[in-house]
C-alpha cells in the first residue's frame, strides 16, 4: 500500500494536513475543533448524513454540507458553527427539531448524565421550546428482546442501531418501519432480536431509546465507576469496562480496542456478567456431606483439609485446568503442584503448542484487509470467537473471498491470505499450512479465554516432562468451572479417590467434589490473559470476590509444603515474565495492550500431523460444537436463555437434497441405537458428508450418524 | 417449493443484485394473498435470502403495500391539490355515503376498501378515482352511486 | 404562442404504441444515426443542445452525461426517472402512454453515449396501464433486435413521492427503503450499485431522439436562448381545458392558461398560479405574463420545476391550501433527516391551529421561522419543497392568514373551494375482521 497523499484543509481558520479522503469530522478534530454528530459513526459503514447536526459551510459550495459525509480535498476551506453564524444557526435548529418530539424525560432516563443528546443540547441547543403541540407518543417500553428495551419516544431516528444490524452484524433483524414522522425502530412483529451481537445497539444509541434491561433504573452515572478490564468469556479478549455501583457489577461496556474488537462485544461478554451473583455461587470453602450437600468450612479448616488431601496423594495427583485461569493462577498452581510436589500430570485446555503460530502473528483487525480467508476446522467461528465473525463479515464486504476449504492456489495467489482454524486440535496442522503456503496471517481459535496463557505458564514452571497419568489417581485437582463441567474431567473425577476443586458454582460440583474452594470470576481478578492473537492483556478486579481468591489459597497451601508463592498477581507475573515475557513489568501492560512482534517459529518445525481426526464413517460425520450461549456462566443468566440455540442439525445442501429434507423440516439423527429429534438447517457452508449440531442437543450420539426425515 | 418462490427467482435474475427484487417480490406476494401477512413476509424473505424484518421495513415505507387484509375491491380518491380544487372532497363524501364507511376503512361485507391517496398523476383529468388500480378520470359525485353499484355487482 | 410537437408528434393521428406505427413516422432512425456516431460525439451533441433536465432541477443533460465515469472500472447504468409524483405533474405519463418507443429510443441512445448496457426505468407503482404499455413496447423493441447488447428493465415503484428524488430512487431500486443519499458523491460518479449512473427524467430522455434527428444546432433554434426545446406543460386546477400541452419553452403563463386552457370556468378571478408543480413558490395574477422558461420563472421568484401549472381561483382558502400541501409533504417525508421529518409535522400542527381559528399572531412568525429553519438544511430538496410552497402562500397572502387569526375562524366560512379536503395522513385504519383466503 502506497504512502497516503496529504492535503491541506482549513477549518475555522486553522490549517491542518490530513490524508486525502479523510472525513471532515476527523479533519476538524485534527485542527482541535469538535463538530458535533449524532448519526455519524464511522464503524457503521458509509455515513448517511441523516441527523444534520454537523452542518458546515464549505467554501465553493452554495449549500451547507454535512461534515460527516464530506471528505478532505486539498485547499478545502471549512467553517463550522464555531466561526460560521449560518452553521451555528443550523446546529441550533437541528437540535430544536430533534427535541420537538423528544419527551425530555431526562430525570428518569437511564442515559441521563451520559447522553450525547443531553450534552449537545446543553452546549449548542436552544434554551427554550417553541413546541406547544402534542408530541408523538408511543407505547413504551417495547421489549426488543429480554436484554434490550426500546423507548420509541426518545428515539431520534439516527439509524445507528439499524445500520449496525444491517451492515455490521448483518443479522437484519432490527429495522426501521414506516416513513417520515411515523418511522419507528422495530423487530419483526413481536419477535425478539435474537443475534449474537444485539447488545451493541444499546451502546450505539446516542439517546436513551435502546437500553439494557439489566441496567434499567439501576444506577446514575455519577454513582458508578467504570473499571477497565478484559472480557474473560472467549479467547478474543475484547477490551471492556465493567460498570460498578456499590461494589457490584451493573453492566459491561466496550472499551474499543481497534485491533481486537473495534468496539463491539458479543452478547455473552456484555450480558453474562451477572453469573457473579448466581444463587449457587460458592462463597466459602465447603466440604462434601453425603451425595448432594456441603458443609461450610472456615479458612483454616479448609487449608488443613486441602493439605491432607494433597499430602496423602503424593505424586498421584492430576490437575485439570480450565483455560480460563489467569496466567498467574496457572503458574502458581504449577509451582505448588509441579515444583513443590512433583505432580506433573495435567489435563490441559486444548492448545497444542502455543507458540507455533507466532511467526504468522497479526492483529485480528487485519482480517478485514485480507483478500482471501480460509476457515478450517469444523466449528462455527461465531460460537468460538464471536468477534472474529464480525471481522470476517467486514472482510467480505470489502471484497475478500471467504473459503471453507483450503484452496491452495487461491491462497498462494493472494498477497494477503489468512488461515483460520475454528475447532479443536488444529494448531499443528494450521501452522504447517501457514508455513508451507507462506500466508499473510494465521489464527487458531481455542475454546477457552486464556488457553494459551495457561499452557505457557504451566510449562514455564518446570522443565520436567509431563508423565502419563498416575494409576490410581489419588487426587484430582479441578481448576475452575469450565474444567468441572468438562465430561472427560468428570469421568476422571469419578475414578479418582478424592477431588478438590476451585469452582464458582456449587451445582455441578455436587456428588463429585470432596473439597470445594471458592473460585473467582474474571471480573474479580487481578492478572493477565493471553488472547488468541498472542496478546498479553491485563485483567483488573472490578469488584471484590466473596472470599479469598485462588492465589491466596494456593499461596497459603504452598506455605504448608514450604513452597514460596507470593499471593499477589503482580509479583507472580514479574517472576514469570523474566522467563517468558521478556521481563515485561506488570505495570507496563497498559490498558490497551500492543501485539508482540512476530517471533520465529519454534526450533522443531511443525510437521503436518497425521491424526486419526477423521475416522471413516459409514453415514454422516457428526461434528459438534459448544454454542457461544452455553456454559456455566450463561446458564446462570436468565435474560440470556432466549439466545440459546434451538435444537437444530445443520446439513449440507447435497445431503439434504438426497434425503428429501427441506430447511426447517423435522428430522431424526441416530447412531448406535440412540436417536435424537431435531430441526434441519440446510447450510451452504458445510461440506457434503458432514452434519453439525450443538453439543447439548446431540448428547449420546456418536460421530457416525444417519439422518432421515422424522 | 412454492410457485411464489419460483416467481421471485425470476425477478432476482433481472437485477445485478438480488436485493433489488424485493419490491417486485412483495408485489407478487400481495397479488397472491391480497395483503402482506407475516407469513407472506417470511416467504419473500426466504426466497431472497433476506429477513422478514427487512422485508417489512421495505413494505411499510411505501403506500401501495397492504399490511392488513383489504376488501376484494379498492377505491381510492386522489385528494391532492389539483383534485381538491375541482371538488375531490365531494367525491370522497359521495363514496363515504354510498359505501357507508369512512376513508381508510373497509366495508362490513369485505367487498370494498376505501381510501384517499396523494397525487395520482391525473391532475388534468381531476377528480381522479382509482378503482382496483385503474384510473377513472374524471369522476364527479354524480358518478359515484353507479360506480359503487358496479363494484357491488362484481363482489 | 408557439405550439410545437417534438414529443407527441403524430401521436394524435397514429397509435405510436405500435412499433410499426412508430417506425412509419421515422422512429428509431435517430438511434441508427446515434449508433453510427462515437459515444464522445454523441455526448458533445447533447452538450451542444444545452438541453436541461425536465425532472425539476433543470440540470444540463449533456453535462451530466459527460460526468459519467466511463473508464469501465465499474459498469455504468442509465436510470430513467418515471416516478412522476409531483402534485400537478402528469406529463411523463402521457409520453409513456402515447409514445413509449420515443422513451425507449432515447434510452438506447443515451446508453450508447455513456457506454451502458443496463437501463432501468423506474415507473411509479400507480401507473398500471402505463406500465403495461411501456413493458409491451420494451418487449416489442427487444424482439425486434433493437436493443443490441443493452437490456432495459422496467422497475415498478410502490407509492412513495420521495422515490422521484434521484438518489432515493437508486436506493429503492437497490431494494432498500427509498431514502435519499448524501451527495457528493453524485450518481454519475457513484450511483446505482456504487457504479457510475446517469439519471434522467422521462421527458428529458424522450427529447433526445428529436435532438439527434435534427442536430443540436436546429434544436437550439426552438424556444429561448437559455432554455431551448419544448415541454409538455401539465395544466390543471381551475381551468376550462386542463390537460397536457406541448409548447415551446418561453410561452407565457397567460398563453397557456387562457389561449390554450380557455381561462377560468365561470369567468372567476385567478387568485394564484403554481407554475412548476406543488413544490415551487406560488405566483400571483400580476405575474401571468412571465415566460415559462427556467430563467424567467426564476426571475419571477419561483421555479420551472416540472412544468406543471396549477390554476387557483378566488374561491380557495390559502390556509387550507397550505395545510393540504404540507400534509402531503409530511406524509411523503422519508424520515431520514431531522429537519424535514420533524419540521413538516410541526408545520402541519401550526397550520391546523390557524385554520381551526385557534391561531395567534405569533404563530405566523413561527410558521415562517420553522420553515426557514428547514430550508437548505435537509438532506434532499423535499424539505425545501415543503417550505417553498407554504412559506410563499404565507408571504403572499399574509392578510388572509391574519384574517383567520383576527376572526378566530376561517374567513371563507365553509365556502372555500377545497373546504373539507381530506389527506391520506388523516385516515384512520380499520382493518376488516375476516382475512380473505
Ligand atoms: C422530492 C423530490 C421529488 C422528485 N420527483 C421527481 C419525479 O417524480 N420525476 C423526476 O423526473 N424528477 C424528480 N425529482 C428530481 C430528480 O431528483 C432529478 O433531479 C431528476 O430526475 C433528474 O433528471 P433530469 O436531469 O432529466 O431532470 C424529484 C426531486 C425531489 C427532491
Ligand atoms: S433507537 Fe437510538 S440508535 Fe436507534 S435510531 Fe433511535 S436514536 Fe438512533
Ligand atoms: S452527524 Fe452528520 S448528519 Fe448526522
Amino acid at each position: 500500500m502506497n504512502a497516503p497523499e496529504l492535503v491541506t484543509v482549513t477549518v475555522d481558520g486553522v490549517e491542518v494536513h490530513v490524508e486525502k479522503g479523510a472525513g471532515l469530522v476527523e479533519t476538524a478534530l485534527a485542527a482541535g475543533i469538535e463538530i458535533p454528530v449524532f448519526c455519524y459513526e464511522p464503524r457503521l459503514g458509509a455515513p448517511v448524513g441523516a441527523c444534520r447536526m454537523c452542518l458546515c459551510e464549505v467554501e465553493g459550495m452554495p449549500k451547507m454540507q454535512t461534515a460527516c459525509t464530506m471528505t478532505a480535498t486539498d485547499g478545502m476551506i471549512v467553517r463550522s458553527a464555531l466561526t460560521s453564524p449560518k452553521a451555528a444557526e443550523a446546529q441550533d435548529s437541528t437540535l430544536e427539531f430533534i427535541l420537538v418530539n423528544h419527551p425530555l424525560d431526562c430525570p428518569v432516563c437511564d442515559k441521563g448524565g451520559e447522553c450525547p443528546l443531553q450534552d449537545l443540547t446543553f452546549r449548542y441547543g436552544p434554551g427554550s421550546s417553541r413546541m406547544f403541540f402534542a408530541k408523538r407518543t408511543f407505547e413504551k417500553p417495547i421489549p426488543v428482546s429480554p436484554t434490550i428495551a426500546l423507548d420509541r419516544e426518545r428515539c431520534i431516528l439516527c439509524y445507528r442501531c439499524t445500520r449496525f444490524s444491517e451492515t455490521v452484524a448483518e443479522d437484519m433483524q432490527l429495522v426501521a418501519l414506516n416513513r417520515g414522522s411515523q418511522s419507528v425502530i422495530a423487530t419483526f412483529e413481536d419477535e425478539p432480536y435474537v443475534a449474537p451481537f444485539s447488545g451493541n445497539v444499546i451502546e450505539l444509541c446516542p439517546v436513551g431509546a435502546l437500553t439494557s434491561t439489566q441496567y434499567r433504573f439501576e444506577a446514575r452515572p455519577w454513582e458508578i465507576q467504570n473499571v477497565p478490564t478484559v472480557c474473560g468469556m472467549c479467547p478474543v479478549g475484547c477490551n471492556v469496562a465493567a460498570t460498578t455501583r456499590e461494589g457490584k457489577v451493573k453492566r459491561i461496556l466496550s472499551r474499543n480496542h481497534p485491533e481486537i474488537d473495534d468496539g463491539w462485544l458479543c452478547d455473552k461478554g456484555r450480558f453474562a456478567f451477572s453469573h457473579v451473583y448466581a444463587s449457587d455461587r460458592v462463597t466459602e470453602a465447603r466440604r462434601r456431606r453425603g451425595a448432594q450437600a456441603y458443609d461450610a468450612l472456615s479458612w483454616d479448616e479448609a487449608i488443613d483439609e486441602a493439605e491432607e488431601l494433597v499430602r496423602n496423594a503424593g505424586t498421584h495427583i492430576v490437575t485439570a485446568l480450565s483455560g480460563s485461569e489467569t496466567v498467574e493462577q496457572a503458574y502458581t498452581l504449577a509451582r505448588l503442584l509441579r515444583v513443590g510436589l512433583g505432580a506433573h500430570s495435567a489435563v490441559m485446555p486444548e492448545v497444542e503448542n502455543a507458540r507455533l503460530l507466532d511467526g504468522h502473528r497479526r492483529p485480528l483487525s487485519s482480517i478485514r484487509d485480507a483478500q482471501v480467508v480460509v476457515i478450517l476446522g469444523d466449528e462455527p467461528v461465531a460460537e468460538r470467537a464471536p468477534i472474529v465473525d464480525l471481522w470476517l463479515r467486514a472482510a467480505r464486504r470489502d471484497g475478500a473471498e471467504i473459503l471453507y476449504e483450503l484452496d491452495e492456489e487461491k491462497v498462494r495467489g493472494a498477497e494477503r491470505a489468512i488461515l483460520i482454524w475454528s475447532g479443536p486440535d488444529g494448531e499443528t496442522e494450521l501452522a504447517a499450512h501457514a508455513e508451507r503456503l507462506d500466508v499473510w496471517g494465521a489464527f487458531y481459535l481455542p475454546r477457552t479465554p486464556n488457553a494459551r496463557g495457561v499452557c505457557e505458564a504451566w510449562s514455564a514452571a518446570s522443565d520436567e516432562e509431563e508423565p502419563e497419568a498416575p494409576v490410581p489417581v489419588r487426587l484430582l485437582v479441578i481448576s475452575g468451572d469450565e474444567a468441572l463441567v468438562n465430561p472427560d474431567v468428570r469421568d476422571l473425577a469419578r475414578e479418582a479417590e478424592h477431588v478438590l476443586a476451585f469452582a464458582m458454582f456449587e451445582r455441578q460440583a455436587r456428588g463429585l467434589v470432596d473439597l470445594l474452594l471458592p473460585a473467582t470470576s474474571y471480573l474479580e481478578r487481578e492478572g493477565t490473559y493471553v488472547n488468541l492473537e498472542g496478546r498479553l492483556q491485563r485483567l483488573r478486579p472490578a469488584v471484590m470476590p466473596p472470599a479469598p481468591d485462588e492465589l491466596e489459597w494456593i499461596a497459603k497451601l504452598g506455605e504448608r509444603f514450604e513452597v514460596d508463592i507470593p499471593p499477589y498477581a503482580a509479583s507472580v507475573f514479574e517472576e514469570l515474565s523474566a522467563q517468558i515475557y521478556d521481563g515485561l513489568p506488570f505495570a507496563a501492560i497498559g490498558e490497551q495492550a500492543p501485539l508482540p512482534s512476530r517471533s520465529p517459529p519454534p526450533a522443531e518445525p511443525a510437521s503436518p500431523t497425521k491424526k486419526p481426526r477423521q475416522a471413516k464413517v459409514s453415514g454422516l460425520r457428526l461434528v459438534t460444537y459448544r454454542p457461544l450461549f452455553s456454559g456455566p456462566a450463561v446458564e446462570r443468566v436468565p435474560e440470556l436463555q432466549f439466545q440459546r440455540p434451538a435444537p437444530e442439525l445443520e446439513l449440507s445442501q447435497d445431503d439434504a437434497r438426497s434425503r428429501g429434507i427441506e430447511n426447517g423440516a423435522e428430522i431424526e439423527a441416530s447412531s448406535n441405537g440412540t436417536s435424537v429429534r431435531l430441526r434441519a438447517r440446510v447450510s451452504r457452508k458445510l461440506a457434503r458428508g458432514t452434519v453439525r449440531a450443538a453439543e447439548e442437543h446431540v448428547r449420546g450420539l456418536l460421530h457416525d450418524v444417519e439422518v432421515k426425515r422424522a | 417449493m412454492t410457485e411464489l418462490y419460483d416467481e421471485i427467482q425470476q425477478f432476482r435474475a433481472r437485477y445485478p443484485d438480488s436485493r433489488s427484487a424485493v419490491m417486485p417480490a412483495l408485489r407478487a406476494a400481495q397479488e397472491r394473498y391480497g395483503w402482506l401477512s407475516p407469513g407472506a413476509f417470511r416467504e419473500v424473505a426466504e426466497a431472497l435470502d433476506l429477513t422478514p424484518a427487512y422485508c417489512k421495513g421495505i413494505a411499510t415505507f411505501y403506500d401501495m403495500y397492504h399490511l392488513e387484509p383489504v376488501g376484494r375491491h379498492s377505491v381510492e380518491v386522489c385528494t391532492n391539490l389539483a383534485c381538491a380544487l375541482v371538488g375531490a372532497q365531494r367525491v370522497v363524501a359521495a363514496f363515504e355515503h354510498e359505501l357507508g364507511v369512512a376513508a381508510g376503512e373497509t366495508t362490513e361485507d369485505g367487498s370494498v376498501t376505501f381510501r384517499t391517496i396523494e397525487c395520482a398523476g391525473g391532475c388534468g383529468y381531476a377528480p381522479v378515482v382509482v378503482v382496483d388500480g385503474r384510473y377513472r378520470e374524471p369522476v364527479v359525485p354524480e358518478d359515484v352511486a353507479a360506480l359503487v353499484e358496479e363494484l357491488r355487482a362484481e363482489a | 404562442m408557439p405550439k410545437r410537437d417534438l414529443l407527441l408528434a403524430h401521436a394524435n393521428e397514429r397509435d405510436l404504441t405500435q412499433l410499426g406505427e412508430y417506425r412509419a413516422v421515422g422512429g428509431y432512425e435517430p438511434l441508427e444515426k446515434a449508433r453510427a456516431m462515437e459515444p464522445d460525439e454523441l455526448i458533445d451533441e447533447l452538450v451542444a443542445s444545452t438541453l436541461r433536465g425536465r425532472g425539476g432541477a433543470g440540470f444540463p443533460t449533456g453535462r451530466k452525461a459527460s460526468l459519467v465515469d466511463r473508464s469501465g472500472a465499474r459498469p455504468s447504468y442509465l436510470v430513467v426517472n418515471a416516478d412522476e409524483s409531483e402534485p400537478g405533474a402528469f406529463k411523463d405519463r402521457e409520453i409513456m402512454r402515447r409514445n413509449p418507443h420515443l422513451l425507449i429510443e432515447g434510452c438506447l441512445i443515451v446508453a450508447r453515449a455513456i457506454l451502458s448496457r443496463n437501463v432501468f426505468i423506474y415507473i411509479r407503482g400507480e401507473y398500471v396501464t402505463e406500465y403495461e404499455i411501456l413493458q409491451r413496447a420494451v418487449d416489442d423493441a427487444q424482439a425486434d433486435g433493437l436493443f443490441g447488447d443493452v437490456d432495459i428493465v422496467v422497475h415498478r415503484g410502490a407509492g412513495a413521492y420521495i422515490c422521484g428524488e434521484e438518489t432515493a430512487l437508486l436506493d429503492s431500486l437497490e431494494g432498500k427503503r427509498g431514502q435519499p443519499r448524501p451527495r457528493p458523491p453524485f450518481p454519475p460518479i457513484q450511483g446505482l450499485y456504487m457504479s457510475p449512473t446517469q439519471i434522467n427524467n422521462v421527458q428529458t430522455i424522450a427529447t433526445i431522439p428529436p435532438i439527434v434527428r435534427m442536430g443540436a444546432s436546429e434544436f437550439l433554434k426552438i424556444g429561448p436562448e437559455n432554455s431551448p426545446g419544448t415541454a409538455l406543460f401539465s395544466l390543471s386546477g381551475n381551468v376550462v381545458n386542463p390537460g397536457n400541452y406541448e409548447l415551446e419553452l418561453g410561452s407565457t403563463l397567460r398563453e397557456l392558461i387562457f389561449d390554450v386552457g380557455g381561462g377560468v370556468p365561470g369567468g372567476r378571478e385567478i387568485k394564484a398560479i403554481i407554475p412548476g408543480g406543488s413544490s415551487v413558490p406560488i405566483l400571483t395574477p400580476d405575474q401571468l405574463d412571465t415566460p415559462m422558461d427556467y430563467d424567467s420563472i426564476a426571475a419571477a421568484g419561483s421555479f420551472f420545476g416540472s412544468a406543471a401549472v396549477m390554476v387557483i381561483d378566488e374561491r380557495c382558502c390559502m390556509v387550507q391550501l397550505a395545510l393540504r400541501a404540507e400534509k402531503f409533504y409530511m406524509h411523503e417525508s422519508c424520515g431520514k433527516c431531522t429537519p424535514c421529518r420533524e419540521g413538516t409535522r410541526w408545520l402541519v400542527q401550526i397550520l391546523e391551529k390557524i385554520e381551526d381559528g385557534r391561531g395567534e399572531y405569533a404563530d405566523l412568525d413561527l410558521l415562517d421561522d420553522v420553515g426557514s429553519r428547514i430550508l437548505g438544511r435537509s438532506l434532499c430538496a423535499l424539505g425545501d419543497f415543503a417550505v417553498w410552497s407554504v412559506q410563499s402562500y404565507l408571504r403572499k397572502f399574509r392578510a388572509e392568514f391574519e384574517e383567520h387569526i383576527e376572526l378566530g375562524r376561517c374567513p371563507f366560512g365553509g365556502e372555500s373551494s377545497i373546504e373539507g379536503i381530506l389527506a391520506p395522513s388523516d385516515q384512520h385504519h380499520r382493518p376488516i375482521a375476516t382475512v380473505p383466503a
Side-chain angles (χ1 to χ4, degrees), chain A residues 150 154-161 185 204-207 209-210:
Chain A
L150 168 62
R154 295 180 187 149
C155 172
I156 63 167
L157 290 168
C158 64
Y159 304 101
R160 281 173 168 231
C161 53
I185 303 302
L204 281 168
C205 183
V207 298
L210 289 164

Side-chain angles (χ1 to χ4, degrees), chain A residues 166 171-180 186-189 191 662-663 684, chain B residues 1 19 38 41-42 46 49-54 56-57 60-63 67:
Chain A
E166 184 179 338
D171 56 59
M172 295 200 287
Q173 291 198 48
L174 196 64
V175 298
L177 297 185
N178 306 337
R179 195 172 65 201
T187 56
F188 186 62
E189 307 296 320
E191 293 176 8
E662 274 182 24
N663 198 25
R684 265 175 290 196
Chain B
M1 290 286 158
R19 205 177 281 196
F41 283 122
R42 286 201 184 88
E46 167 82 27
D49 296 318
L50 294 169
T51 59
Y54 184 88
K56 189 159 181 187
T60 56
F61 187 82
Y62 301 93
D63 287 341
L67 303 163

Side-chain angles (χ1 to χ4, degrees), chain C residues 53-55 64 81 83-85 164-166 200-201 204 381 385:
Chain C
R54 303 292 194 240
K64 200 185 266 187
N81 189 340
D83 193 54
E84 187 164 72
S85 311
E165 195 283 334
E166 58 184 22
N200 280 117
N201 170 256
T204 313
F385 295 173

Side-chain angles (χ1 to χ4, degrees), chain B residues 15 20 54 79 89 105-106 116, chain C residues 173 175 193 422 427-428 432:
Chain B
Y15 300 93
S20 288
Y54 184 88
T79 63
Q89 47 285 8
E105 298 181 344
T106 301
T116 58
Chain C
L173 184 50
Y193 309 123
L422 267 178
Q427 274 167 177
H428 51 99
I432 60 170

Side-chain angles (χ1 to χ4, degrees), chain A residues 673-696:
Chain A
T674 314
S675 69
V676 179
R677 275 186 170 236
L678 301 144
R679 211 165 273 291
R681 187 150 104 218
V682 181
S683 160
R684 265 175 290 196
K685 291 184 188 168
L686 272 189
R688 177 191 198 128
T690 301
V691 293
R692 183 158 66 186
E695 235 167 47
E696 59 199 56

Side-chain angles (χ1 to χ4, degrees), chain A residues 143-149 192-193 212-214 638-643:
Chain A
V144 166
S145 75
T147 48
I148 305 171
Y193 184 8
S212 154
T213 55
Q214 292 176 330
E639 312 80 272
L640 275 180
Q641 300 313 303
F642 80 102
Q643 288 272 25

